[in-house]
Amino acid sequence: MMKTRADVHAEESAEVEVLIAEAGKFDAISKQIKASLGRLEGGVQLGKDNMKSVYSNTQGLQVMNNNIDKILDAIDKMLGPSEDKGREERIIRAGPDRVGLPDYLASLKRVDRTLSAMSSTNLRINQQTIGDFNALLSEGNDRLQALFRSTLAENVQPVEPLHYITKQLAFPVLPQESVSKLGTIDSFLSSTAARDASYNSRESPSVRIYAEMRGAYLSGSLHNLSAASISTSKRKASDEIYRQGTSGIGTYASGIEGIFSAEFNNISAIFSREDWGLAFDATCRKALAEFAKTLRELNMHIKSNLPTDCFLAYEIVEIVTNVGYRLDQLSGQLKLPFADALKPIRETAKSSLPELIEDVRRRVSSLQTLPPDGSPISFTTEVMTRMQTLTSYSQSLASIISSLGDGNWSSVPSANSMSTTSLPSLKSFDVGADSTQLLAHYIMDTIETLLTSLDSKARMLLKSKSVSGVFMANNVAVIDRMIRSSDLSTVLASGTASAKIESWRKRGTSAYLESWREPCSALMDVQYTNRGARPPSGSNGVIDSAAVMKQLSSKDKDAIKEKFKNFNASFDELSARHRSLQMEREVRSLLAREVQAMIEPLYARFWDRYHEVDKGKGKYVKYDKGSLSAQLAALA
């Protein structure tokens, strides 16, 4: 058994040794494999590096190939313009009239495209050709501008505006054929390339040419209206108040509106929308400068004749503001130019309101005499004519008087407060309750100033209160009559105005009646209730004058006689003076009624009691009640 174990162990040991030997072989093989793998990886990496070099070389070849293609294309392009240059040069130098505008513009556009392409290459060899093409394009632009100018020149003869204004015709516009040609030319000349080539400016040369030629057309067409506006405004007596519509300024403004509107239609048909404002403003600039000059000259005339011609200023403010507003609505332009042109006139109109009131004070203060017969002075009529005329300009006065403020017309506003750089809006022309009320306040302040000044002057120059009273009553009557017979009645419809005028009427009446207190005082007697029975009366309540006289002493009778004599003398004198005074019809009627209401009741009572003092002989009792009533009635 022991032998068997030894054999087994020997066999196992032999197997182990075999396995160890095999393992050694495998280790050797593994090392060989690893070495082979290492060599293989080195080969692969070398292959990769070689492939990268090949790829890089391939890309370089592709870029080079592309560059060669571009160079070949550039060479073709360089050769192409040189070949086309002669053809384009022949077309451009022949001019659009010979080759036709479409072909001419097509040639210029090809030249422009060629220039853009050549400029992008930056090749030195192209510089000469680029210069030649630039010169060619510039020449083409010049010829287009000449064609643009000559096309406009066909229709620049000034027109007579009165023909279109009086017949209510639309002002002429450019013919459609010309508009189409001008629009086509402008579409090229206004391009960036054309501007840079011709003037190196952002402004379209076609706009400049149009403004130059059509601006002269507008100015020339309106020149006669400018001259007529000045001559018609000055064609009146120096003391005559300006009458609405007699100046040619309204026609001038209508001509401007009509011809400017027609011009805007031309511009909107020729130019692109973004150039409308620029073209319209530039085209109208010369005519507007002439208009502003005309307004400045009219303003000088108005300022030198302010009390009579300030109404022309109100008319101009209204007319020009409306025209400027409508043209601004049409074009979106010219609002500021119109405002600048109107500014001097508007400031003069604003300053005229306080100046008119000051003129009233100044003119009345300068009076050296007043009518001795109490008749109204012509200046009252002149002032009220001014006030009546004001109501014809309620639209322009609405903004002017509102800018002054209620009551601020008592002093001339400063230049800063009057300055304005824009047209008043039409909303400011809204003649509503506020502006009408302000106008009413201004008119009443003017009337109050007139009456106050006249009253002060009458107290100074007219020594008799009765004449002074008649003088004031007459002037109040003229004022009231001119209010009632005109639109002033609407403006001054408030009870306040009527109350003020009535107050002045009563003051004049009261002053006149002062002189009639003398005959009234002669009719005053003293009755003593403790000296016997009441004087007997007849069955009808009439006092028995004979019975009254019997109760009087001789001294009392003489006093009664003296009273009758004094009354007769005073009454006759005052009646004669009343008839000698110059009174307005309504004043004479009013004062006669007031005198009758004062005298007749007193005289009737006195006559009833004492007419028997001369027993009907008429020596002392000159008038019975009937004859006195007739005398009083005759005063009217």
Side-chain angles (χ1 to χ4, degrees):
M1 184 172 176
M2 289 295 293
K3 185 181 179 180
T4 304
R5 289 181 179 175
D7 294 335
V8 172
H9 179 75
E11 292 177 359
E12 290 178 351
S13 296
E15 291 177 356
V16 169
E17 289 176 357
V18 171
L19 289 173
I20 292 172
E22 292 296 329
K25 292 180 181 179
F26 280 119
D27 287 339
I29 294 172
S30 177
K31 289 178 181 179
Q32 291 176 356
I33 291 173
K34 286 182 180 179
S36 297
L37 287 173
R39 289 192 298 272
L40 181 61
E41 287 178 356
V44 170
Q45 183 62 39
L46 180 61
K48 286 181 178 180
D49 292 340
N50 292 333
M51 288 300 294
K52 285 181 180 179
S53 177
V54 172
Y55 179 72
S56 176
N57 292 334
T58 302
Q59 282 186 321
L61 291 174
Q62 288 176 342
V63 170
M64 182 182 298
N65 186 53
N66 290 336
N67 288 337
I68 292 171
D69 290 341
K70 288 182 180 179
I71 291 172
L72 292 175
D73 290 340
I75 292 172
D76 291 339
K77 289 179 180 179
M78 285 188 292
L79 294 175
S82 299
E83 295 172 356
D84 296 338
K85 176 183 173 183
R87 183 189 63 181
E88 305 299 356
E89 186 174 3
R90 286 191 299 274
I91 293 174
I92 290 173
R93 289 184 175 170
D97 292 330
R98 293 182 60 184
V99 301
L101 184 59
D103 291 341
Y104 195 80
L105 289 175
S107 176
L108 286 174
K109 290 175 182 178
R110 288 194 297 270
V111 170
D112 183 44
R113 287 195 299 268
T114 300
L115 270 173
S116 299
M118 294 178 70
S119 298
S120 65
T121 62
N122 260 344
L123 293 175
R124 189 177 303 172
I125 196 174
N126 285 339
Q127 297 307 310
Q128 179 60 45
T129 307
I130 289 174
D132 293 342
F133 274 106
N134 272 326
L136 200 58
L137 185 60
S138 178
E139 181 180 348
N141 288 334
D142 291 341
R143 289 179 178 272
L144 279 180
Q145 291 175 38
L147 178 61
F148 193 88
R149 186 182 294 274
S150 64
T151 303
L152 284 174
E154 297 171 0
N155 298 280
V156 292
Q157 186 67 28
V159 298
E160 178 49 63
L162 283 177
H163 170 75
Y164 300 95
I165 295 171
T166 55
K167 295 185 177 182
Q168 297 183 339
L169 300 174
F171 277 77
V173 295
L174 293 173
Q176 186 57 44
E177 181 181 354
S178 297
V179 168
S180 178
K181 182 187 293 186
L182 292 169
T184 302
I185 296 172
D186 172 71
S187 65
F188 180 82
L189 291 179
S190 60
S191 67
T192 303
R195 293 174 187 168
D196 291 343
S198 300
Y199 292 95
N200 195 25
S201 168
R202 298 300 298 172
E203 184 182 9
S204 169
S206 54
V207 170
R208 287 195 297 273
I209 296 170
Y210 188 94
E212 174 190 340
M213 301 197 67
R214 295 298 291 180
Y217 158 78
L218 296 180
S219 180
S221 298
L222 296 170
H223 177 73
N224 289 339
L225 294 183
S226 172
S229 297
I230 295 172
S231 62
T232 54
S233 298
K234 296 180 178 180
R235 194 185 303 155
K236 69 177 186 62
S238 60
D239 59 346
E240 180 185 354
I241 290 180
Y242 172 78
R243 289 183 293 109
Q244 188 174 25
T246 55
S247 169
I249 191 64
T251 304
Y252 190 10
S254 296
I256 287 176
E257 182 177 7
I259 203 167
F260 279 20
S261 298
E263 204 58 40
F264 184 75
N265 291 335
N266 290 333
I267 288 171
S268 60
I270 293 171
F271 298 100
S272 59
R273 190 176 188 87
E274 57 268 20
D275 286 337
W276 288 0
L278 177 64
F280 190 50
D281 182 72
T283 303
C284 299
R285 191 174 296 140
K286 185 176 181 180
L288 279 175
E290 183 69 24
F291 181 60
K293 180 182 176 182
T294 302
L295 292 187
R296 287 194 300 271
E297 188 167 346
L298 288 176
N299 186 54
M300 293 175 61
H301 169 72
I302 292 168
K303 292 176 74 173
S304 62
N305 301 274
L306 196 59
T308 57
D309 284 7
C310 61
F311 307 100
L312 174 58
Y314 308 149
E315 182 174 84
I316 292 173
V317 169
E318 181 174 330
I319 290 173
V320 175
T321 300
N322 288 336
V323 168
Y325 176 80
R326 288 193 292 268
L327 286 175
D328 182 66
Q329 290 292 101
L330 172 68
S331 66
Q333 300 293 317
L334 306 185
K335 185 175 183 180
L336 286 179
F338 270 102
D340 290 340
L342 184 61
K343 182 179 177 180
I345 294 282
R346 182 171 172 78
E347 290 180 355
T348 298
K350 193 173 181 180
S351 67
S352 70
L353 295 174
E355 179 59 31
L356 287 179
I357 293 181
E358 186 58 33
D359 180 68
V360 170
R361 294 192 187 98
R362 187 167 53 246
R363 293 277 295 277
V364 174
S365 177
S366 67
L367 293 174
Q368 300 299 315
T369 60
L370 291 178
D373 60 358
S375 57
I377 59 174
S378 59
F379 183 59
T380 298
T381 302
E382 181 181 333
V383 171
M384 291 309 298
T385 301
R386 293 180 188 175
M387 298 301 102
Q388 288 178 334
T389 309
L390 281 178
T391 61
S392 301
Y393 303 98
S394 55
Q395 183 178 353
S396 56
L397 283 173
S399 65
I400 295 170
I401 206 166
S402 296
S403 64
L404 278 174
D406 197 356
N408 292 333
W409 41 74
S410 58
S411 61
V412 179
S414 65
N416 289 337
S417 65
M418 292 189 297
S419 296
T420 177
T421 57
S422 62
L423 287 174
S425 65
L426 287 190
K427 185 178 181 181
S428 69
F429 276 0
D430 181 19
V431 188
D434 291 342
S435 59
T436 301
Q437 188 177 27
L438 287 176
L439 181 59
H441 290 176
Y442 174 78
I443 292 172
M444 279 310 304
D445 281 358
T446 304
I447 293 173
E448 286 270 9
T449 300
L450 172 65
L451 291 174
T452 301
S453 301
L454 289 177
D455 184 56
S456 176
K457 183 61 70 171
R459 291 173 185 274
M460 183 186 306
L461 298 180
L462 299 175
K463 304 305 179 182
S464 169
K465 290 189 70 174
S466 62
V467 178
S468 177
V470 170
F471 174 75
M472 291 304 299
N474 277 333
N475 284 284
V476 170
V478 171
I479 291 170
D480 186 53
R481 185 190 314 132
M482 295 186 74
I483 289 174
R484 295 178 185 277
S485 62
S486 67
D487 290 338
L488 285 172
S489 59
T490 302
V491 177
L492 302 177
S494 67
T496 305
S498 300
K500 288 181 178 180
I501 293 173
E502 187 60 32
S503 173
W504 278 103
R505 195 196 320 273
K506 288 180 179 179
R507 289 175 64 176
T509 302
S510 177
Y512 175 74
L513 293 177
E514 281 289 325
S515 61
W516 287 88
R517 295 184 183 278
E518 183 180 346
C520 289
S521 64
L523 300 176
M524 300 297 178
D525 61 337
V526 179
Q527 298 184 35
Y528 299 95
T529 58
N530 60 349
R531 291 187 179 180
R534 182 178 179 179
S537 300
S539 58
N540 57 357
V542 178
I543 296 175
D544 188 347
S545 178
V548 172
M549 295 306 299
K550 288 180 181 180
Q551 296 180 1
L552 299 178
S553 63
S554 296
K555 184 179 179 180
D556 290 337
K557 289 179 182 179
D558 290 341
I560 295 299
K561 292 176 182 178
E562 189 65 25
K563 284 181 177 291
F564 270 112
K565 287 175 62 178
N566 291 340
F567 172 81
N568 293 337
S570 179
F571 179 78
D572 291 345
E573 179 185 354
L574 290 174
S575 296
R577 187 185 303 171
H578 180 91
R579 294 186 183 92
S580 69
L581 293 175
Q582 182 64 39
M583 300 182 190
E584 298 296 308
R585 179 178 52 80
E586 56 268 47
V587 172
R588 187 174 295 278
S589 176
L590 170 65
L591 295 183
R593 289 196 307 270
E594 293 293 333
V595 169
Q596 187 170 15
M598 176 188 290
I599 298 295
E600 193 168 31
L602 290 175
Y603 189 82
R605 172 194 164 280
F606 197 81
W607 187 90
D608 284 341
R609 290 181 62 80
Y610 305 115
H611 67 274
E612 287 294 333
V613 71
D614 64 355
K615 303 184 186 313
K617 296 178 181 179
K619 183 177 180 180
Y620 302 105
V621 184
K622 185 176 180 179
Y623 303 103
D624 60 19
K625 291 192 291 184
S627 60
L628 182 73
S629 180
Q631 287 291 323
L632 291 172
L635 296 178

